[in-house]
Amino acid sequence: MDWNKPEIKRLIDAVLVLKTPEEARRFLRDLLTSTEIEEFSKRFQTARMLSDKIPYSVIKNKTGLSSTTVARVAKWLNGKGGGYRSVISKLHDHPTPLARES
């Protein structure tokens, strides 16, 4: 993927200007289908569970994701990109209002 494409840069800029949970909800709802939102939330849940050392089998049963998807999330979580790790760390250090509600 070319992260330098103007349309991708604009999408990243759009995410960075969101300030409130309501703004994020509205933007995600307009951008993604309900199915995509559910899928992405399950992947993020999987990353959090993997970082808490929850076994794959438990994650698979809890999220309904395939073992292939759980393994892919584990690869990204433990890879050099660090996106999942960075966000999980920030949420642990500074929980958002939504994170505190759950």
Side-chain angles (χ1 to χ4, degrees):
M1 176 181 331
D2 181 0
W3 289 101
N4 291 314
K5 281 181 161 180
E7 57 272 18
I8 294 175
K9 285 183 170 185
R10 291 299 293 164
L11 177 60
I12 292 168
D13 289 343
V15 170
L16 291 173
V17 300
L18 300 172
K19 300 287 186 211
T20 67
E22 183 58 29
E23 285 180 349
R25 276 192 289 270
R26 289 193 326 251
F27 181 67
L28 290 174
R29 184 61 200 109
D30 289 352
L31 182 66
L32 305 167
T33 66
S34 297
T35 302
E36 289 167 331
I37 293 168
E38 290 288 335
E39 177 70 15
F40 295 156
S41 68
K42 288 178 183 181
R43 290 182 189 188
F44 187 60
Q45 177 186 13
T46 296
R48 291 188 343 254
M49 293 173 78
L50 286 166
S51 70
D52 288 339
K53 310 294 186 216
I54 306 289
Y56 278 37
S57 59
V58 173
I59 294 169
K60 190 174 163 242
N61 289 336
K62 175 119 175 127
T63 64
L65 294 175
S66 70
S67 55
T68 302
T69 300
V70 174
R72 186 179 319 120
V73 171
K75 178 181 175 183
W76 293 332
L77 176 67
N78 298 311
K80 62 183 177 181
Y84 279 130
R85 283 191 316 273
S86 174
V87 171
I88 290 167
S89 174
K90 288 177 183 182
L91 287 175
H92 282 163
D93 292 344
H94 304 287
T96 64
L98 287 178
R100 286 189 294 254
E101 289 176 9
S102 29

